[in-house]
């Protein structure tokens, strides 16, 4: 296993004993689960926030727009924080901050305070996302085996758990303010346990290296990886946001069918990610993303061409299955190609999650100008681009930190 340069606190640690890798793996999995649970809990609280603060759809959209802005600003600076206080300590503190801010929107006390609340949430979400993905890539380096797909599967699982908890709380007529306070307290405990499982930062010879750039924009070496991540995240985010609307407006189905279609999409993504590492070990990341792009494209064609509930739900399942491994493998590829793990992950995250700013507006404008099928055709085109861009994830032999059976070189 070839050791690459890594920033302080994210040493590849090739001599780490296997039991230590397993302990770190459990800790990082728990961090991903907690991060996803916070995101899912916030999503299930939106109807109450809109009703309680009497927000129009436009006002709510502007409030939610603050979160990706916060993430976009914070992500490129995350590696700087890690350099100052240590990567594992930064990961622990940022995931705790993400959990602690969970009740902020329901305790804001008025619409005006929702804007800074979601801006802070976005900053905490984005910076903690960069650090936990960097921890996952560092674990791949030290263990010599792919783990990123499973980690992102845990994030999806946390989001699904939050959704189920939100349904239960609504049926029990539990005040959302109480629910989010209790949820935040529980998640803070879990995040604290996970943070301790990461261990202490390991001093390395690189500790005397110059500080990383203040704002880690992506380098040319990882630009192609970031574009592949952008396309996958565009398809994922747009399908997540618009699948229910599409099933209702175009297919003519009721709310139950729309909710079922969305749930099947999320379940297909979760299952694929949880078991995706075995696929990557078998065929390599390039082929996994390429095949996934083809599968997702077939799903998009089904959704656009056959405007009936069953083909639409099957299409959404195929889209979820096809795009599921793109984001985790993009982060993994960035860590393998870049000379600075933290900056590479932060740079790719900046491009990848830029789609969070663009996708809602692009899909909404397309739907308004040309109809919902045309909007979903744009999603299908993004999925198809993955099959063409998968080669950007290819690792040159001298850069390889782990062996993928069957990976194109």
């Amino acid at each position: 296993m070839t050791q690459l340069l890594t920033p302080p606190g994210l040493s590849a640690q090739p001599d780490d004993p296997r039991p230590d890798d397993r302990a770190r793996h459990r800790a990082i999995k728990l961090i991903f689960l907690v991060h996803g649970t916070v995101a899912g809990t916030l999503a299930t609280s939106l109807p109450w926030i809109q009703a309680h603060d009497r927000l129009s759809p436009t006002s709510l959209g502007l409030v939610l727009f603050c979160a990706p802005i916060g993430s976009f600003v914070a992500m490129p600076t995350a590696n700087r924080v890690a350099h100052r206080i240590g990567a594992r300590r930064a990961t622990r503190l940022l995931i705790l901050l993400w959990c602690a801010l969970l009740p902020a929107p329901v305790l804001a006390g008025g619409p005006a305070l929702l804007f800074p609340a979601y801006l802070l949430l976005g900053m905490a979400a984005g910076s903690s996302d960069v650090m936990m993905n960097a921890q996952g890539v560092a674990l791949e380096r030290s263990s010599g085996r792919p783990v990123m797909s499973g980690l992102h599967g845990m994030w999806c699982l946390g989001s699904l758990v939050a959704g189920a908890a939100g349904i239960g709380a609504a049926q029990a007529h539990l005040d959302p303010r109480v629910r989010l306070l209790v949820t935040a307290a529980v998640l803070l405990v879990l995040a604290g346990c996970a943070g301790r499982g990461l261990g202490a930062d390991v001093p390395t010879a690189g500790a005397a290296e110059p500080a990383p750039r203040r704002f880690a924009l992506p380098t040319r070496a990882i630009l192609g990886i970031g574009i592949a991540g952008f396309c996958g995240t565009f398809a994922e985010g747009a399908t997540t946001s618009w699948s229910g609307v599409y099933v209702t407006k175009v297919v003519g189905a009721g709310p139950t069918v729309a909710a079922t279609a969305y749930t099947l999409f999320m379940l297909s993504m979760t299952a694929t990610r949880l078991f995706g590492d075995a696929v990557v070990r078998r065929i390599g990341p390039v082929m996994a993303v390429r095949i996934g792009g083809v599968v997702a494209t077939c799903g998009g064609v089904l959704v656009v061409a056959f405007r009936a509930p069953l083909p639409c739900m099957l299409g959404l399942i195929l889209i979820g299955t096809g795009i599921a491994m793109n984001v985790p493998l993009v982060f993994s590829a960035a860590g393998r190609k870049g000379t600075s793990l933290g900056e590479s992950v932060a740079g790719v995250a900046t491009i990848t999650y830029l789609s969070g700013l663009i996708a809602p507006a692009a899909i909404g404008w397309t739907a308004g100008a040309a109809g919902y099928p045309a909007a979903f055709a744009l999603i299908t085109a993004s999925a198809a681009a993955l099959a063409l861009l998968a080669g950007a994830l290819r690792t040159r032999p001298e850069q390889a930190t782990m062996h993928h059976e069957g990976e194109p070189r």
Side-chain angles (χ1 to χ4, degrees):
M1 183 169 62
T2 304
Q3 183 178 1
L4 301 184
L5 296 175
T6 55
L10 283 175
S11 171
Q13 303 174 6
D15 297 324
D16 275 2
R18 188 69 62 178
D20 183 58
D21 281 337
R22 288 197 292 266
R24 287 174 58 203
H25 192 190
R26 288 193 295 269
I28 299 169
K29 284 169 68 175
L30 184 55
I31 287 174
F32 271 80
L33 180 73
V34 167
H35 196 285
T37 304
V38 174
T41 303
L42 286 169
T44 58
S45 303
L46 283 179
W48 184 89
I49 293 172
Q50 182 177 20
H52 182 265
D53 290 324
R54 299 177 181 177
L55 299 174
S56 67
T58 302
S59 298
L60 181 60
L62 290 173
V63 167
L64 297 180
F65 191 64
C66 291
I69 289 177
S71 293
F72 188 70
V73 170
M75 279 179 171
T77 65
N79 194 45
R80 184 87 175 182
V81 176
H83 179 84
R84 285 182 174 273
I85 66 175
R88 295 183 186 176
R89 185 182 179 194
T91 305
R92 291 194 292 265
L93 292 177
L94 288 170
I95 193 66
L96 288 171
L97 177 62
W98 174 228
C99 295
L101 288 172
L102 173 58
V106 295
L107 300 178
L113 296 178
L114 284 174
F115 292 94
Y118 270 91
L119 186 67
L120 289 174
L121 280 165
M123 295 177 73
S127 54
S128 59
D129 188 285
V130 167
M131 294 314 304
M132 71 187 192
N133 275 288
Q135 292 290 340
V137 174
L139 178 62
E140 283 195 336
R141 289 183 171 189
S142 65
S143 66
R145 58 192 179 89
V147 299
M148 291 300 291
S149 181
L151 293 176
H152 282 260
M154 294 299 293
W155 191 96
C156 290
L157 185 61
S159 184
L160 287 173
V161 168
I167 293 172
Q171 291 179 341
H173 303 290
L174 183 64
D175 190 315
R177 288 165 291 197
V178 175
R179 177 170 71 92
L180 265 66
L181 284 169
V182 172
T183 302
V186 172
L187 293 178
L188 280 168
V189 172
L190 293 177
C193 294
R196 286 194 294 272
L198 292 175
D201 285 300
V202 180
T204 69
E209 293 176 0
R213 294 172 294 166
R214 293 182 182 275
F215 200 78
L217 290 175
T219 62
R220 182 179 298 179
I222 60 173
L223 185 60
I225 301 173
I227 294 172
F230 177 93
C231 291
T233 306
F234 184 98
E236 177 183 338
T239 305
T240 300
S241 301
W242 290 90
S243 59
V245 176
Y246 186 91
V247 171
T248 303
K249 299 289 187 181
V250 178
V251 179
T256 301
V257 174
T260 301
Y262 168 79
T263 302
L264 290 173
F265 167 73
M266 287 302 300
L267 285 173
S268 66
M269 281 194 59
T270 303
T272 303
R273 284 178 172 174
L274 287 174
F275 297 101
D277 291 323
V279 176
V280 175
R281 284 194 293 269
R282 185 74 176 175
I283 65 175
V286 174
M287 191 58 66
V289 171
R290 183 165 289 149
I291 294 174
V294 173
V295 170
T297 302
C298 293
V301 170
L302 276 177
V303 172
V304 175
F306 300 96
R307 299 170 190 179
L310 287 179
C312 186
M313 285 190 282
L314 177 59
L316 290 172
I317 290 172
L318 291 176
I319 293 174
T321 301
I323 65 177
M325 289 194 289
N326 176 71
V327 170
L329 293 182
V330 159
F331 280 114
S332 181
R336 295 197 309 273
K337 277 201 172 183
T339 56
S340 170
L341 188 154
E343 285 198 5
S344 297
V345 171
V348 163
T350 302
I351 300 178
T352 297
Y353 294 130
L354 178 63
S355 65
L357 292 171
I358 296 175
I363 296 300
W365 180 85
T366 304
Y372 289 103
F376 231 91
L378 182 59
I379 296 173
T380 304
S382 297
L386 294 180
L388 302 175
L389 296 169
L393 279 64
R394 182 175 289 113
T395 305
R396 295 196 300 270
E398 66 271 18
Q399 290 176 313
T401 62
M402 63 188 118
H403 172 68
H404 298 287
E405 182 182 345
E407 178 182 352
R409 295 292 185 179

